[in-house]
Amino acid sequence: MENQIFELQYALDTFYFLICGALVMWMAAGFAMLEAGLVRSKNTTEILTKNLGLFAIASTMYLVCGYHLMYGGGFFLSGIMGSESLVADALAASAENGFNGTAVYSNAADFFFQVVFVATCMSIVSGAVAERMKLWVFFAFAIVMTGFIYPMEGSWTWGGNEVPLIGALNFTDFAGSGIVHLAGASAALAGVLLLGPRKGKYGKNGEIRAIPGANLPLAALGTFILWLGWFGFNGGSVLKLGDIASANSVAIVFLNTNAAAAGGAIGALLLARIIFGKADLTMLLNGALAGLVAITAGPDTPTPLLATIFGLIAGVIVVLSILALDKIKIDDPVGAISVHGVCGLFGLLIVPITNAETTFLGQLGGAAVIFVWVFVTSLIVWGILKAVMGLRISEEEEYEGADLSECGQEAYPEFVN
């Protein structure tokens, strides 16, 4: 009977992991639609190609070496396939932990859940460097980011190979405000600083010129897809479902994730109304995403009211951050650095408010390790690529659009012609 119960829990936890992984994979569609909506029509095909291509690269590089670097085991997922699915082996693994409720599930399911997080991290970079970066340079960076840079910082945190600063200060990041989102934004910032702004974005006298996105319905659709996928992102990070305590934890994580997104949307909407005198849709979309990023570091401990307040504050922060980055001429077409970087840091720093086992100093130290590692290594890789291949398309190609120069086809040929 014990074996039958355990087998049922094993199957349920494995299935839950796979479903949550599928939800996170669906976030790739959300990023693609959001970015396609916020760039100009002449860059739509190229941004879609980047999003699909980076997902394929992330899946392959994490399979080849990334998972090994982050969690140990063999290259090319050696050891993933095999007898680990047998009840006896799973029972033995649980017995090693004293049957203390530690999640036991298929290693293959664990890989699938982890690999979609890697792709999410890389998707953040895509939007920030949009409309002026060479496509194959971006793909080259994606290989290094997903195969080495992200797995290394992941190994120091989720992988258990703690660096002294993180281990001593009890750094906590439940689902990746720092490990995924701040990391992606750090890589994006390094690229943007070397890449420079889009032509015409900033005037000679310092004026900021808005470059509207081509398809706001697509951007709104992308945001809703990301909002949905985030339930798998945060909910799956509970790691199990097969007992009452875990089921209750999953429910509160879902509830708080939704509450924070709603709070973020409201905060951004209200502040945009105060600043611009209008309801700014792009700020509203980024506000919802800001709330989602902020709650990701600790969705299991706040009350729903606190989660809403955290999200609302994040929505305010993201509007101010987007405006501030424009002031210092850091051109981010989709607001990715503000949403995922600034609000990712904010999410890490609010964890101690509701989690007594963490400290502000520990969270700040962990965030510093993540930022310094990813930013510096990314800056080096971007610098090498700039010297070898060049980062930007030509000024003429930028004027005509990356669709033609990088992909040879337009997203809306009948409309353009």
Side-chain angles (χ1 to χ4, degrees):
M1 178 63 72
E2 182 185 55
N3 281 10
Q4 289 177 333
I5 293 173
F6 186 86
E7 185 172 359
L8 180 61
Q9 290 179 325
Y10 180 94
L12 180 60
D13 290 343
T14 296
F15 181 70
Y16 176 65
F17 232 17
L18 293 172
I19 292 300
C20 286
L23 280 173
V24 180
M25 185 273 168
W26 185 231
M27 291 174 68
F31 279 112
M33 294 301 98
L34 176 66
E35 294 171 19
L38 293 180
V39 300
R40 288 167 288 185
S41 59
K42 61 185 179 180
N43 298 301
T44 305
T45 299
E46 192 264 354
I47 202 77
L48 295 174
T49 304
K50 280 202 302 186
N51 274 275
L52 190 60
L54 74 85
F55 191 90
I57 290 170
S59 297
T60 303
M61 289 307 301
Y62 202 61
L63 182 151
V64 170
C65 61
Y67 189 80
H68 165 76
L69 292 174
M70 193 162 169
Y71 291 106
F75 290 96
F76 299 100
L77 298 188
S78 60
I80 288 292
M81 305 294 290
S83 62
E84 52 85 20
S85 61
L86 296 176
V87 176
D89 294 331
L91 273 170
S94 185
E96 289 178 4
N97 296 296
F99 294 99
N100 61 359
T102 302
V104 181
Y105 37 72
S106 167
N107 289 338
D110 178 63
F111 170 80
F112 177 68
F113 187 70
Q114 295 295 335
V115 76
V116 289
F117 274 57
V118 185
T120 298
C121 181
M122 190 61 212
S123 294
I124 296 166
V125 183
S126 172
V129 300
E131 300 201 301
R132 72 269 200 209
M133 177 172 277
K134 292 179 178 178
L135 177 64
W136 290 97
V137 168
F138 176 82
F139 285 156
F141 178 78
I143 292 172
V144 182
M145 180 68 182
T146 60
F148 176 69
I149 298 175
Y150 172 89
M152 288 305 299
E153 60 100 5
S155 74
W156 301 332
T157 48
W158 288 337
N161 302 313
E162 297 173 339
V163 297
L165 183 60
I166 290 179
L169 297 177
N170 196 28
F171 173 74
T172 298
D173 189 0
F174 186 88
S177 286
I179 297 167
V180 178
H181 296 280
L182 177 59
S186 301
L189 177 62
V192 167
L193 291 177
L194 291 180
L195 187 61
R198 291 168 290 177
K199 296 295 181 183
K201 174 63 178 177
Y202 304 111
K204 294 181 180 179
N205 298 321
E207 65 270 21
I208 301 168
R209 299 175 182 140
I211 302 179
N215 196 325
L216 292 186
L218 269 188
L221 174 63
T223 301
F224 274 119
I225 292 173
L226 288 168
W227 193 327
L228 172 64
W230 230 285
F231 295 121
F233 200 95
N234 288 355
S237 296
V238 176
L239 303 182
K240 57 184 302 189
L241 184 66
D243 58 77
I244 293 174
S246 298
N248 285 336
S249 181
V250 167
I252 195 65
V253 166
F254 270 57
L255 175 56
N256 284 343
T257 299
N258 188 68
I266 292 170
L269 183 64
L270 292 177
L271 183 59
R273 176 68 173 82
I274 293 170
I275 295 175
F276 308 123
K278 306 283 185 181
D280 189 304
L281 175 60
T282 57
M283 291 298 184
L284 171 62
L285 301 178
N286 278 328
L289 297 177
L292 289 163
V293 171
I295 200 62
T296 294
D300 57 329
T301 52
T303 64
L305 177 59
L306 268 179
T308 305
I309 294 172
F310 290 158
L312 189 144
I313 297 171
V316 170
I317 289 173
V318 78
V319 174
L320 297 176
S321 176
I322 289 171
L323 297 177
L325 289 182
D326 255 348
K327 289 284 187 182
I328 59 176
K329 297 185 178 180
I330 294 180
D331 184 18
D332 180 359
V334 303
I337 296 171
S338 296
V339 170
H340 302 276
V342 176
C343 292
L345 175 61
F346 171 70
L348 291 175
L349 298 183
I350 59 175
V351 170
I353 296 175
T354 58
N355 187 340
E357 297 180 359
T358 61
T359 64
F360 177 81
L361 183 61
Q363 295 301 98
L364 189 62
V369 170
I370 292 169
F371 174 77
V372 171
W373 164 255
V374 178
F375 180 79
V376 172
T377 53
S378 297
L379 199 63
I380 293 170
V381 175
W382 286 126
I384 293 172
L385 290 172
K386 184 175 183 178
V388 175
M389 304 171 65
L391 297 181
R392 291 188 72 120
I393 57 179
S394 69
E395 188 171 343
E396 180 181 351
E397 289 171 337
E398 187 175 343
Y399 176 78
E400 293 178 347
D403 284 2
L404 288 176
S405 63
E406 298 297 291
C407 301
Q409 54 188 179
E410 295 169 316
Y412 310 105
E414 293 178 344
F415 174 78
V416 173
N417 293 329

